[in-house]
Amino acid sequence: MSRLTPPALAIDGATLMQRLRELGAIGRDEAGGLSRLALTEQDKAGRDCLVRWMKDAGLKISVDAIGNIFGTWMPEIDAAAVMIGSHIDTVVNAGIYDGCTGVLSGLAVMETLQAAGLEPHCPIIIAAFTNEEGARYAPDMMGSLVYAGGLALEEALSTEGTDGSILGDELRRIGYAGSMQPGAITPRAFLELHVEQGPVLEAEGIAIGAVENLQGISWQRVVIDGDANHAGTTPTGMRRDAGLAAARVVTFLRDYVTAPNAATVATVGTMQFEPDVINVIPSRAIFTVDLRDPDEDRLRTAEAALRDFLDELGESDRVSVSSERLARFEPVEFDENLATLIEASATERNLTCRRMTSGAGHDAQMMARICPSAMIFVPSTDGISHNPREHTHEADLIAGANVLLDVARALSDAE
Ligand code: HGY
Ligand code: MN
Ligand code: MN
């Protein structure tokens, strides 16, 4: 197992923060909200900015057929690469740290090693994966899923977005339909630094999370069909109200995930009614359900409980119910040796550290299918993410990037 060398090195924190802010300014709407949905003009602008920084660092740029971007240092070394990555696409009205922290810290790590005159014994690759958020095209973590062989390229390219666009068309339109075959490079290890997006590290006053596993994810779209009818003249007992039925699903899920199922979390993040008119009983409700649990059996039980409820609902409310799977990922264990290296670096740097589970999905969970992978978490202020108030203190971001530096240096035997 690679050994950590004394942590004499430190990344250039000022440049990291300046780039986070600069990238965070790309994709702002008139109200100042940040949205760089995958393969939009805003995403293209963010991609172009990252590629420019990678070129300035002298990296060899490659783009694969699903639009994943790779910047490689020392590509000529004939050895399995260390890959450091995450994503730069965002949800709607996002924060500036989700994903970008990991990609830009990887760039900082590389520049620090270069500036110190250290040479790795293998290539080091920075990766920015396509459509990690899944907000426009499901499933999420799509670019890394295709890269890891979990989704066929053609199927991904033919995905229809929430706006009716086709993923492959948009990829070509923004000029990021690359020629490299996804998965062409199998790294010796994959590392992802990410803001925790939850409350644990801040609540416990801990600087570094050595993520040892990541919970399972189940996404589905549910369509409930009832009957449009007049809001005023239709007696309650005669209604086939798709809106009411949808609301019952939301409250069922909240009731389900309270004790004793408290480990499971459930979210109905999108809901549309048709015809969506104030004085018409909804004839149709379309909504999504996001279920997560670190335990696969509990996740399956939650899915089965929802299925049973939807069946009963059809009877009780005289509506028809259908559901379509959008994403399904089993829980993932990360590499024990890499988690130990993360902890050793934190100790060397006098940083508090704890093992933890990731509540969010990440590209590392896909890369774990093809190589040893691990994640480093840094605290999220008030545990907030997917929200403009997303924030991580500068000192915490730099500490996380320095731990990433130590682990990448150990794995690449940079000296
Ligand atoms: O859904 C997730 O957990 C990630 O933000 N894509
Ligand atoms: Mn993320
Ligand atoms: Mn996210």
Side-chain angles (χ1 to χ4, degrees), residues 54-345:
M54 285 179 164
K55 283 180 179 168
D56 293 348
L59 307 187
K60 174 180 168 270
I61 306 299
S62 33
V63 179
D64 73 11
I66 193 66
N68 297 321
I69 299 169
F70 304 94
T72 304
W73 181 33
M74 303 275 186
E76 66 280 5
I77 303 177
D78 181 17
V82 170
M83 188 180 283
I84 301 170
S86 196
H87 63 96
I88 62 169
D89 64 305
T90 76
V91 293
V92 172
N93 212 18
I96 69 169
Y97 302 93
D98 178 356
C100 301
T101 297
V103 175
L104 297 180
S105 296
L107 191 55
V109 162
M110 211 179 266
E111 289 171 331
T112 305
L113 294 173
Q114 289 172 341
L118 297 176
E119 297 227 335
H121 287 118
C122 68
I124 298 181
I125 301 174
I126 309 300
F129 290 108
T130 295
N131 186 34
E132 189 278 346
E133 292 295 359
R136 186 184 184 196
Y137 304 100
D140 55 351
M141 288 77 72
M142 186 189 276
S144 49
L145 180 63
V146 169
Y147 193 89
L151 176 65
L153 174 63
E154 288 314 315
E155 188 179 345
L157 293 173
S158 63
T159 304
E160 182 176 345
T162 51
D163 55 3
S165 63
I166 300 300
L167 189 144
D169 297 343
E170 288 292 273
L171 196 59
R172 282 184 290 276
R173 186 183 62 78
I174 67 166
Y176 277 90
S179 53
M180 181 179 149
Q181 185 53 32
I185 301 165
T186 301
R188 70 174 65 187
F190 179 80
L191 301 170
E192 182 168 6
L193 169 62
H194 206 288
V195 291
E196 179 201 337
Q197 300 179 291
V200 173
L201 291 175
E202 184 185 55
E204 297 181 7
I206 291 179
I208 299 290
V211 186
E212 52 190 359
N213 64 332
L214 189 150
Q215 63 180 347
I217 301 175
S218 162
W219 280 7
Q220 53 189 298
R221 178 185 295 114
V222 179
V223 178
I224 296 179
D225 284 312
D227 267 345
N229 213 326
H230 195 294
T233 59
T234 312
T236 301
M238 283 178 60
R239 296 181 180 216
R240 296 181 62 238
D241 185 338
L244 174 74
R248 290 192 203 282
V249 178
V250 177
T251 55
F252 161 78
L253 286 168
R254 175 52 63 95
D255 294 344
Y256 180 87
V257 298
T258 48
N261 296 307
T264 310
V265 287
T267 310
V268 174
T270 70
M271 185 173 285
Q272 294 91 28
F273 286 168
E274 292 176 5
D276 203 23
V277 172
I278 186 168
N279 57 358
V280 180
I281 298 166
S283 54
R284 170 168 279 197
I286 305 165
F287 57 95
T288 52
V289 177
D290 176 322
L291 289 170
R292 306 201 192 193
D293 194 303
D295 178 90
E296 176 62 14
D297 290 341
R298 275 202 313 258
L299 186 54
R300 285 189 192 161
T301 304
E303 288 175 317
L306 175 58
R307 225 179 359 260
D308 293 346
F309 182 78
L310 294 177
D311 291 345
E312 289 154 24
L313 193 63
E315 294 288 312
S316 64
D317 287 44
R318 297 180 301 114
V319 292
S320 67
V321 183
S322 63
S323 67
E324 172 202 1
R325 172 171 284 186
L326 297 178
R328 183 59 166 89
F329 302 126
E330 296 196 358
V332 162
E333 300 289 326
F334 287 127
D335 183 83
E336 175 58 31
N337 290 336
L338 294 179
T340 305
L341 272 178
I342 292 165
E343 289 173 315
S345 164

Side-chain angles (χ1 to χ4, degrees), residues 371-406:
C371 69
S373 299
M375 295 193 74
I376 303 162
F377 273 177
V378 288
S380 289
T381 307
D382 299 329
I384 290 174
S385 184
H386 287 187
N387 179 315
R389 288 174 32 225
E390 181 181 279
H391 175 265
T392 293
H393 294 293
E394 183 170 330
D396 289 334
L397 289 165
I398 294 169
N402 283 331
V403 169
L404 182 68
L405 168 66
D406 293 345

